[in-house]
Amino acid sequence: MERRDFLRAAGPVAVAGLAGCLGGGSADTDYDVGMSAKAYRPVRIAVEPGTTVRWLNTSKQGHSVTAYEDEIPDEADYFASGGFDTEQAARDNWGSSSGGTMYEGDDFTHTFEELGEYPYFCIPHERAGMVGTVFVTENPEASTNSE
């Protein structure tokens, strides 16, 4: 069975529990979080420390992956598509040629080292509710995940 077919059949909870285990593979078919018109799929994933999460823009709209800087763990590295060091820099540069815009088929990865919750959002679709969370825990299978 193809990975994408498995994920579709297994549902969001299974995807959330497996998110950190699915890396590696062919481009455009392996990703942990996809992007629809105005939502991340799944909305919440749980991974172990040291896991690299891959977001893939699976829609025709431009998106971003932008951490809420004040809400991630204090020791954690900030993350945003476009490689910005702060949330404000990501917001200020949205829409420019180097603004972190992810077009259809573009991806972004980040490795999560510190335990905790990492809420993030899409700059142009934040008001529409395009937000997500990566939960880094020693036991992702036992974490409650919701779509």
Side-chain angles (χ1 to χ4, degrees):
M1 175 182 287
E2 291 292 320
R3 178 175 178 270
R4 193 174 276 170
D5 294 334
F6 168 77
L7 294 176
R8 195 174 303 121
V13 173
V15 172
L18 294 172
C21 305
L22 300 174
S26 62
D28 296 340
T29 58
D30 280 336
Y31 59 92
D32 299 300
V33 181
M35 300 172 189
S36 65
K38 290 189 173 69
Y40 295 106
R41 296 286 182 237
V43 171
R44 182 178 168 95
I45 64 170
V47 300
E48 293 179 342
T51 299
T52 299
V53 173
R54 179 177 179 225
W55 288 264
L56 177 69
N57 186 351
T58 54
S59 80
K60 298 204 180 290
Q61 296 193 21
H63 292 295
S64 76
V65 174
T66 311
Y68 284 109
E69 186 172 8
D70 294 337
E71 297 180 34
I72 64 174
D74 289 338
E75 315 79 33
D77 291 333
Y78 182 75
F79 64 97
S81 54
F84 299 103
D85 293 330
T86 66
E87 180 181 336
Q88 191 60 54
R91 287 181 186 276
D92 290 346
N93 285 285
W94 172 256
S96 72
S97 61
S98 62
T101 305
M102 296 172 59
Y103 297 101
E104 183 178 19
D106 289 346
D107 71 346
F108 170 74
T109 60
H110 181 75
T111 302
F112 293 87
E113 300 292 347
E114 302 295 329
L115 296 173
E117 290 193 42
Y118 294 76
Y120 61 92
F121 65 100
C122 174
I123 293 172
H125 301 113
E126 179 182 21
R127 289 185 184 196
M130 190 168 179
V131 296
T133 304
V134 175
F135 183 60
V136 181
T137 176
E138 294 292 344
N139 190 1
E141 295 80 22
S143 299
T144 29
N145 300 285
S146 60
E147 181 82 11

